[in-house]
Structure formats: C-alpha cells, structure tokens
Amino acid sequence: MTGPTNPAPRAAISAPPALDARESADNAPANTPGTDSGSRTRRLRRIRRALAITAVLAVGVIATAVLSSGTRHGYLDPRSADPAGSRAVAELLKERGVTTRVVTTAREAADAAGPRTTLLVTDPDRLGPTQRDVIRSAIDLSGGRTVLLAPSSHSLPDLSPGVHTEGDADTDRPDPGCTLPAATSAGRADTGGGHRYTTALPGAVRCYPSGGHPTLLVLPTGPAGGDTVLLGSDTILLNESLADEGNASLALQLLGSRPDLVWYLPSLADSDPAATDSGEDKSLLELVPAGWSWALLQLFVAAALAALWRARRLGPLVTEKLPVAIRASEATEGRARLYRKADARDRAATVLRAATRERLAALVGVPHIQAHDPVALVPAVSARLQGEPRDVTALLFGPIPSDDAALVALADHLDVLEREVRTS
C-alpha cells in the first residue's frame, strides 16, 4: 500500500535553481543608483581639479611671458633691458635725436645704409661669405659710418682688408692714446679685454692701445667718404657696463655721429657654418637655450601654487578600529614560529625567563628594578617553595637550552615554578 506522495522531493529538486539565482544576485557587485552617482560626482570633482590646475599654470605662464616679452630679447639687443642687452645706449641715443632701427639680415642692413646712417654690425664673425660681401659693398658705397664689433681674422679679410689682429688685449681700460675727439673727450673706456689690431693703411687713427696695438681703429673707407670703426670689445655697449669710466660717452659719440642708426643683429640665416662650428668646447650652461632660467622660475612658481592649493592642515590623531581583532594566543604562536624558523633558542629562552622573573618579582614582593638581579630574586622565590629543593638560579638565570626539547622543558619548569609560587 502506497501512502500519499511526499511533495518534498519535488520542492527539493526545484529549489536549487532559485537558490543559485539568489546567491548569484547576492554575490554580484552592487550597482545601485546611489553608488553610480557618487562615483560620477568624484570623477567630475577630479576633472574640475585638473582643469583648475591647468588654468592656473596657463595664466602664470602667459602672465610671465607678457611681463617679460618687452624687455628680454638677446645679447647686444637694443630692445633688451638685461645686463647683457643694449637698451640703455639706445635710449640715450633716442634722447639725442638718433633713430635706431634693428635689422636681422645683411640685405636689409645694406639697403638701409647711407650717408646719414651709422651701420653697427654686432657679430661680424657670424656672417657667411655672401653676407660679408654684401656688407663690404655697403661700406664702400654708403658714405656713412660702419662700426664692426670685435671682428677677428675670420671676417677681417673681407670686411676690412689690410687690417690684422694682434691677439687679445691685456689692459681692460686703456687710456685713449690718440687725438680722436670721441676718445679724448671720453677718456678711459672698457675697450680692452678683446682683440687688438694692426694696419699699415694710410689715414688710420689708432686709439686705446694695449701693449702697443690699438683696440679701437678708425679707417677712412671708399670714394664716397665715410669711415669704418673697428672696436675690439663690445663691453662699452652693454647695459651693465655703460656707466663705467667713459663707456657711455664713447658709445654715444661712435654711434651718434649720424641721425640714423642701423643696428644689425645677424640672424641664423646669415650665419657662417665655419664660424659657428669652431670646434671650441662649450660648457653645459652655454648649450642650454636662452630663457631657461625664466622657464625654471615659472615651474617653481607653479609648483608653489599647487602646493599651497593642495595643502591641508593636519588635525589631531584619530583612533581607528582594526578590521580584524587578533587574539593574544595567535600573536604568541606567530612569534614562536618566527623564533623556531630562525633557530633563535637563545632569544626565546631569554624572553621566557625575563617574563617569568618579572611576574615572580611581583608575587614575592621584590621591586621591579631588582627583578633581574639573582641576589635579590632567588632567595625570595626559594623561600616560597616547599618540598624538594630546586636550583632556582639555574632555572631563572641558567644557560641557553641546547635544543628545542630542552627549550620546551624549560618553559614547562618555569610554568611549574610560577604556579607553585602563586599558590603558596
């Protein structure tokens, strides 16, 4: 006879899929609307911070560039207020009615040269052969004045034939030593420290001699009149030295003899590869492009602003619950395993004996500072023991166990000793 059918098996058969579905849903990562909105908010906040940092850096760079764009140009540049610029002499010439025009190519310089013009070539040695020929034609045909700053034997044959260099000057500020009005009225000037010249051309005026050779040479040039001035050093035109000695007077008279001044700064297109690749070793700072110091300053300011923006005031320490509570027995077992792995029976025995001595000292009334003194501790402990006498000194202050079994036996004996003292 069969009884009523038990529906439990069917329920048991159909239940696992539902349970699996629920367990899968429970184990799946939470993806609630609140979580999505929170992560989206944090992402937007990080994006806004990044944009704010970028904006601050951009504003700082633009502001620095704008503030320095009108004063920083280059070496011997009449627009530059840097110590190595020449803006000071250009401003003084302007006050005296001399118009200064800056050009960067030899063709522009030659086209601007004329009888009422002073042509200043700031770096003759940088010119290529074609550019030197163009400047030489301008010297011969312009009828004005041409000033060549520190030309050497590289450019002298083309720009001023018949003139040769005689090494470097050994006097930084020589006396005029000539009858040239500009030199006699200026007095001593910083024409030394550069090249010295020698020539046999007629009509040459030799000034500021150093070792018997002039550092300033004035030559008549061309059938149209005019003259050429060879200056062995460019120091008298720099902002940082214009106020020294008679530099300002000499510079103004050499460059201000005509109403127009063409200031020729040779560009890279006018450079001569043979002159630029001279084989001279340059220091690391000379190889770094101009303006690196300003870029470094901008980075420093940006870093300082970012540090101030991201700075946070440190508050008091806040206690935090550990995520897992570790039982003392587990910590003891872990340390014991470390001692065993390192074969440190000496350290383990020392720790066991020291802890036992401290507890025994508290039980027998020995001060804590004398807990490790056998003279004070051993008699007090022995007085609390009953039964057969034992070597308490060897137990509490004895040698290091020879093996692990001896270490275990030592731990057992220490437990028995402490229990006996505690119960006595």
Side-chain angles (χ1 to χ4, degrees), residues 135-310:
I135 296 299
R136 182 61 202 178
S137 298
I139 293 174
D140 293 337
L141 301 177
S142 67
R145 167 170 286 182
T146 303
V147 179
L148 304 177
L149 286 185
S152 68
S153 57
H154 179 77
S155 58
L156 279 176
D158 294 332
L159 296 178
S160 187
V163 180
H164 307 279
T165 58
E166 285 292 338
D168 295 335
D170 54 9
T171 305
D172 292 337
R173 295 174 178 176
D175 294 319
C178 66
T179 58
L180 184 69
T184 56
S185 61
R188 298 178 61 183
D190 288 318
T191 60
H195 297 298
R196 299 181 301 173
Y197 302 103
T198 180
T199 183
L201 296 175
V205 180
R206 302 166 179 82
C207 297
Y208 295 99
S210 176
H213 297 283
T215 58
L216 174 63
L217 194 61
V218 181
L219 303 172
T221 53
D227 56 13
T228 300
V229 178
L230 278 67
L231 191 58
S233 174
D234 53 22
T235 306
I236 67 170
L237 301 183
L238 301 179
N239 293 331
E240 60 183 356
S241 57
L242 186 64
D244 298 338
E245 296 291 343
N247 294 347
S249 175
L250 182 61
L252 293 177
Q253 294 184 77
L254 292 179
L255 302 182
S257 60
R258 273 77 173 173
D260 296 321
L261 173 61
V262 178
W263 200 295
Y264 177 28
L265 298 171
S267 61
L268 186 61
D270 285 349
S271 63
D272 185 0
T276 56
D277 188 15
S278 59
E280 297 181 355
D281 294 334
K282 295 184 178 181
S283 64
L284 178 62
L285 293 180
E286 291 176 345
L287 296 175
V288 176
W292 67 271
S293 57
W294 281 96
L296 184 62
L297 178 61
Q298 293 172 14
L299 292 177
F300 177 77
V301 172
L305 292 176
L308 291 175
W309 173 62
R310 295 293 297 171

Side-chain angles (χ1 to χ4, degrees), residues 46-71:
R46 287 194 293 266
I47 294 175
R48 286 196 296 268
R49 290 178 179 176
L51 292 177
I53 295 174
T54 304
V56 170
L57 293 177
V59 170
V61 172
I62 294 174
T64 305
V66 171
L67 292 175
S68 62
S69 61
T71 58

Side-chain angles (χ1 to χ4, degrees), residues 52-144:
I53 295 174
T54 304
V56 170
L57 293 177
V59 170
V61 172
I62 294 174
T64 305
V66 171
L67 292 175
S68 62
S69 61
T71 58
R72 297 187 57 85
H73 290 279
Y75 188 76
L76 284 173
D77 195 313
R79 299 161 297 184
S80 175
D82 293 344
S86 299
R87 184 175 179 179
V89 67
E91 292 294 329
L92 292 176
L93 289 170
K94 182 179 179 181
E95 293 178 359
R96 286 160 176 76
V98 178
T99 303
T100 301
R101 174 185 175 187
V102 178
V103 297
T104 57
T105 64
R107 177 52 56 191
E108 290 178 333
D111 292 342
R116 296 169 51 84
T117 300
T118 299
L119 174 59
L120 172 63
V121 184
T122 58
D123 195 355
D125 291 345
R126 189 175 181 180
L127 303 181
T130 302
Q131 287 72 27
R132 291 197 294 267
D133 291 341
V134 172
I135 296 299
R136 182 61 202 178
S137 298
I139 293 174
D140 293 337
L141 301 177
S142 67

Side-chain angles (χ1 to χ4, degrees), residues 32-50:
T32 61
T35 304
D36 291 343
S37 61
S39 61
R40 189 181 301 110
T41 302
R42 289 191 295 271
R43 192 181 303 112
L44 291 176
R45 188 181 298 114
R46 287 194 293 266
I47 294 175
R48 286 196 296 268
R49 290 178 179 176

